[in-house]
């Protein structure tokens, strides 16, 4: 299960493809089997299945409280 990427509410993501509004900065609003992410540029919200979000994720811009905790524990 080590290849499951930990993505949590509060994380800020850069995706491989920018949103049509020009921003490439997304906030994780809900996590689970599907994720709800919000564009930091225009506030547009989309639901993405985990597999799709992992494929589109380029990097973490910032980790939320939970992600930061897990990274510190390794
Ligand atoms: Zn946008």
């Amino acid at each position: 299960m080590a290849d499951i990427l930990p993505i949590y509410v509060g994380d800020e993501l850069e995706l491989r493809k920018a949103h049509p509004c020009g921003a490439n900065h997304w906030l994780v609003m809900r996590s689970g089997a599907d994720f709800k992410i919000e564009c930091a540029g225009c506030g547009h919200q989309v639901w993405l299945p985990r597999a799709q979000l992992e494929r589109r994720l380029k990097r973490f811009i910032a980790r939320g409280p939970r992600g930061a905790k897990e990274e510190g524990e390794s």
Side-chain angles (χ1 to χ4, degrees):
M1 301 298 274
D3 56 348
I4 290 188
L5 201 59
I7 302 172
Y8 300 115
V9 173
D11 288 349
E12 300 178 27
L13 314 175
E14 183 180 330
L15 303 186
R16 295 187 189 282
K17 194 163 169 250
H19 195 238
C21 78
N24 195 355
H25 185 165
W26 297 83
L27 314 173
V28 180
M29 311 301 286
R30 292 281 302 275
S31 68
D34 292 333
F35 285 78
K36 184 162 82 170
I37 59 173
E38 181 181 298
C39 175
C42 67
H44 180 75
Q45 295 185 343
V46 292
W47 284 94
L48 281 180
R50 166 178 280 277
Q52 207 172 343
L53 181 58
E54 287 185 0
R55 274 203 307 276
R56 292 190 188 186
L57 175 65
K58 190 168 172 189
R59 68 183 183 95
F60 289 100
I61 293 168
R63 299 306 304 254
R66 193 169 162 195
K69 184 168 175 285
E70 292 227 340
E71 285 191 348
E73 278 172 356
S74 66

